[in-house]
Amino acid sequence: KTPLLQVNNLSKRFYAGYKGFKREYNQALSPVSFELNTGETLAIVGEAGSGKSTLARILVGAEVRSSGEIYFEGEALEKRNLKQRCKLIRMIFQDPNTSLNPKLTIGDLLDEPLKFNTKLDARQRRAQVVDKLRKVGLLPEHADFYPHMISEGMKQRVAVARALMLDPKIIIADEALTALDLSVRSQILNLLLKLQKEMGLSYIFVSHNLSIIRHFSDKVMVLHHGEMVEKATTEELFNAPKHEYTQRLIQELTLFSQKRHNRTLKKHG
Ligand code: ADP
């Protein structure tokens, strides 16, 4: 069976200036390969600077890769064709306050991605906007609001709706849950799970936080200094991590949750 997304030896280096007469490069991402099937969730885990965002940005076409191939349903994705890319893979970012233009109404924010689909007239576009607002638990009336008029959780719902506008197959969430308050975080998480079931979406969750991805990703890829150190199902990774670096990450997570547990015990007697 052909995977939905197949990535072969994808890498990225950034030009870092001259050292003497030699051009220097910074290897942000060493060759990585992975695949993603329909309805699956892949987590990409790593510390700051490990290459997670670079990988995500290459997938959505916001960055040009240095090497490697990307296949979508067996067909090669071109290096620069944004229009083709936007219909397949869309991204949700960490902070809706920076990812949503404050000068646009929610309706205009949602309408914007539709410019990649020129076949729709104004009425059809409006219908799309209303449909996506409903899908993320907002009302048609919210189309006339500006981002500053709604709560943080609602803003992140708008970011999700915006990502859904072209009916993509894959959504990449780049730390999209990390910055949210715990209660809002679980709301957005539940929304994403509901949408996955309804629409058969595949997710790529980019996060430095292992505990967030533990309970809902099917498989995990661990990056460290731009190198892939481990790729496993989530269960395998948490039960029997193979790489020393991953073992340390999981140990730290366990220690952390034990500490928290002990604190709770103390507080409540
Ligand atoms: P992460 O998302 O895991 O924090 P990034 O993908 O942002 O990591 O960064 C990986 C490496 O690539 C870092 O060393 C970073 O400094 C470098 N990098 C990222 N973007 C650029 C850029 N536009 N120009 C030069 N170096 C970059």
Side-chain angles (χ1 to χ4, degrees):
K1 197 174 133 256
T2 322
L4 180 65
L5 179 74
Q6 171 136 27
V7 169
N8 294 340
N9 297 315
L10 197 67
S11 79
K12 177 73 185 179
R13 54 180 202 170
F14 288 102
Y15 176 54
Y18 277 93
K19 197 175 183 181
F21 289 106
K22 220 172 128 243
R23 265 172 167 269
E24 291 273 304
Y25 292 92
N26 171 11
Q27 189 80 27
L29 188 68
S30 296
V32 298
S33 304
F34 63 90
E35 49 189 62
L36 182 70
N37 292 305
T38 302
E40 229 176 20
T41 300
L42 164 74
I44 299 176
V45 178
E47 291 163 281
S50 60
K52 307 181 300 293
S53 298
T54 300
L55 173 55
R57 289 169 54 79
I58 294 171
L59 292 176
V60 292
E63 198 79 75
V64 180
R65 58 193 185 258
S66 303
S67 78
E69 300 103 44
I70 302 172
Y71 295 94
F72 189 82
E73 291 176 331
E75 203 177 308
L77 276 187
E78 288 167 38
K79 268 200 174 164
R80 289 173 190 272
N81 190 341
L82 251 186
K83 196 170 164 179
Q84 174 197 26
R85 205 77 68 95
C86 278
K87 289 186 191 171
L88 309 173
I89 311 178
R90 303 268 299 156
M91 202 151 162
I92 309 169
F93 298 92
Q94 172 163 12
D95 186 358
N97 293 311
T98 48
S99 69
L100 302 176
N101 183 346
K103 294 198 181 103
L104 295 182
T105 61
I106 308 295
D108 287 341
L109 279 165
L110 297 189
D111 185 64
E112 209 177 31
L114 294 179
K115 66 173 183 274
F116 286 103
N117 184 349
T118 43
K119 285 191 215 95
L120 300 174
D121 65 29
R123 239 191 55 202
Q124 289 167 317
R125 288 162 76 131
R126 176 74 191 176
Q128 282 288 324
V129 169
V130 169
D131 174 58
K132 297 302 187 288
L133 281 170
R134 288 223 169 88
K135 277 211 162 65
V136 300
L138 295 172
L139 301 167
E141 295 82 81
H142 285 125
D144 299 325
F145 285 41
Y146 286 88
H148 74 266
M149 298 160 80
I150 59 177
S151 70
E152 295 299 297
M154 284 162 89
K155 279 183 220 169
Q156 199 60 319
R157 283 175 195 270
V158 172
V160 174
R162 196 172 138 92
L164 291 176
M165 284 317 293
L166 294 161
D167 296 308
K169 302 275 174 73
I170 301 170
I171 290 189
I172 303 180
D174 190 357
E175 302 281 10
L177 302 167
T178 323
L180 304 171
D181 284 343
L182 281 183
S183 64
V184 179
R185 185 190 285 181
S186 65
Q187 280 176 29
I188 299 295
L189 183 54
N190 285 328
L191 170 67
L192 292 174
L193 292 175
K194 182 194 85 140
L195 292 170
Q196 181 164 46
K197 249 195 229 146
E198 275 175 19
M199 306 170 76
L201 287 168
S202 304
Y203 290 133
I204 297 179
F205 274 95
V206 176
S207 184
H208 70 276
N209 188 331
L210 270 181
S211 66
I212 291 186
I213 56 102
R214 177 166 196 171
H215 299 290
F216 59 91
S217 66
D218 301 298
K219 48 193 192 182
V220 185
M221 186 163 87
V222 182
L223 296 181
H224 185 43
H225 296 317
E227 303 219 9
M228 189 188 74
V229 295
E230 189 153 351
K231 199 165 59 172
T233 66
T234 309
E235 211 186 322
E236 276 167 0
L237 190 97
F238 280 93
N239 291 334
K242 289 197 190 70
H243 195 278
E244 190 193 344
Y245 174 71
T246 323
Q247 288 164 357
R248 211 175 67 221
L249 279 187
I250 289 174
Q251 206 175 18
E252 275 165 16
L253 182 71
T254 319
L255 282 176
F256 178 70
S257 54
Q258 261 166 10
K259 256 197 216 144
R260 205 168 43 186
H261 181 65
N262 291 344
R263 255 206 320 267
T264 323
L265 283 182
K266 249 190 232 154
K267 222 160 68 192
H268 301 289

